[in-house]
Amino acid sequence: MEEQIAELTARLAELEAASGGGSVTNTMFAETFYYLSIPLMIIIHAGFLAYEMGASRLKNVLSSGVKNILAFAFMIPTFYFFGWWVYWGFPTGIPGDPGPAGISGIEYANAIAWGWGESAQYMGPNIADQASGVFFGAFALFAATTASIMSGAVIERIQTVGFIILAVVLGSFAWVVAAAWGWHADGWLVTQWGVHDFGAAGLVHAVAGFFALGVLINLGPRIGKFNSDGSANHIPGHNMPLTVTGLMLIIVGFWGFLMACVIVPGEAWSWYADKPTTIYGTPITLSALSFNILMSIAGGIIGAWIMTRDPFWMMSGALAGIISCASGLDIYYPALAFIIAFSAGVILKPAADALEKMGIDDAVGAVTVHGTIGLYGVVMLGIWGAGFPALQGAAGEAPTISLIGQIVGAVVFFLCGFVPGYVVSLILKMMGMLRIREGAELAGMDVVKVPNAGYPEWGGDAPVTPAE
Amino acid sequence: MFPYAEATWDVVDGAMFMGWGSALPGLTTAIAAIICVVVLVVGQGSETAKAKRFDK
């Protein structure tokens, strides 16, 4: 008998050890998962860099690159200084009361997200907290993505410092407010309206796209873009293959962006110990992502091809395809995702043309691809996903997705982007910090801003593109 | 469109996409396939028409 008890005790100890080991493995998986999403999202930035530089004329190619690189560089520290704090501080709105999930509010943010005092322990190396940094990193790269989206729209005529101020307002404040409200278990848009935006179609893409629109209104078009009768001229970039390759790199990086939208098990803040969820605590699988991302890329490309036959718009269609389905990548049926993405690819170019007819010079179509299609995606989920629980919880307690709720979310995301974009760019314009001087724009921004030449064999002031 | 009677994730133990258990998956699959075919037909037609303009 004693022998048997001893054997059982030993077996129990074995099982406990095994269980502990599993927990450690799970924790390491969670940390590695987010850590790997960071370099993948940096590929988004590499893609935007190539995309913008290719879309610029020869005389502006390096200055477009400098602007994009600097946006990334300023986004990381400013998101560290206050962006992370805004996200945790205001999900319930102003004045920042704590929410029901207990992970929000000014007091909570003060305790974990400032780089000084007691909370600094969570904002630096800490053997007892191995996850905050990687989670912060993933969010900081979302911030950098928003700045990159705006960056492409304003190429070839914006001042560097003015642009960086706008990038900081967008990346470390505007989209963060939208994320706190609509991408947090305590967010008022989620708890009160059942807004569901798993892959951030509205709170990243639409916010950034309409922020860019607000800026473009004050910035004005490039010299030569519009004729006196209002008709538009096409200003071709100097390297379409570079632009298209950049767009493909953005697609690669999107896998990192969307994997970082998943809350994996293994951390104290995970919803479950054994299964992944969305940021709302609702279930998701990596299979769902794989099925739906691939089908939406395909649908977007095909829709744009039939309308344009242009590789620029086809790859933009791929982006539009993903963005149009991003809100519901967790619950769409793949064939439905394909159809929605196809429709986004079809409407993409006409929507961009309509914007141009209004006198807006969006050099890369960012307002349309990210803004218009982002809102389209948020609303589409309201049509197809109505009735799905938007948040973890018992029947009757959890809010459900609805068309009205998604429309409310779309309006709020639009305002979160457009209003700060318009107001801050207007202030910069009044201070003379928005647009480069006319002579410099005509000479080319590279000779003004960059002590180097993109293609020295052709000279920094080549009047025509190499292809010509 | 939630494929379960109660609007809670607690009852979900299998397929969790829109239209599960209804005709929607089959219908959307058919529509997606039709879109692919139609796009190819239209694409072929317009490309051929454009190419003919270059006939000598």
Side-chain angles (χ1 to χ4, degrees), chain A residues 226 347-360 368 372:
Chain A
F226 293 104
I347 64 174
L348 189 59
K349 183 65 166 56
D353 289 345
L355 193 70
E356 194 172 77
K357 279 186 184 144
M358 287 189 264
I360 302 294
T368 306
T372 308

Side-chain angles (χ1 to χ4, degrees), chain A residues 282-285 302 305-306 309 330-333 335-336 338-339 342 381 384-389 391-395 400, chain B residues 1-3 6-10 16-19 24-29 31-32 35-36 38-40 42-44 46-47:
Chain A
T282 59
I284 186 167
T285 64
I302 292 172
W305 178 70
I306 198 64
R309 316 298 161 93
D330 48 335
I331 48 177
Y332 275 127
Y333 185 63
L336 179 57
F338 178 92
I339 294 167
F342 174 80
L381 183 64
W384 294 102
F388 271 72
L391 193 62
Q392 186 56 246
T400 54
Chain B
M1 298 288 282
F2 189 56
E6 274 190 287
T8 172
W9 287 106
D10 295 341
M16 59 182 199
F17 53 80
M18 295 168 196
L24 190 75
L27 189 64
T28 50
T29 301
I31 293 171
I35 287 172
C36 289
V38 169
V39 163
L40 288 175
V42 173
Q44 172 67 13
S46 64
E47 191 170 293

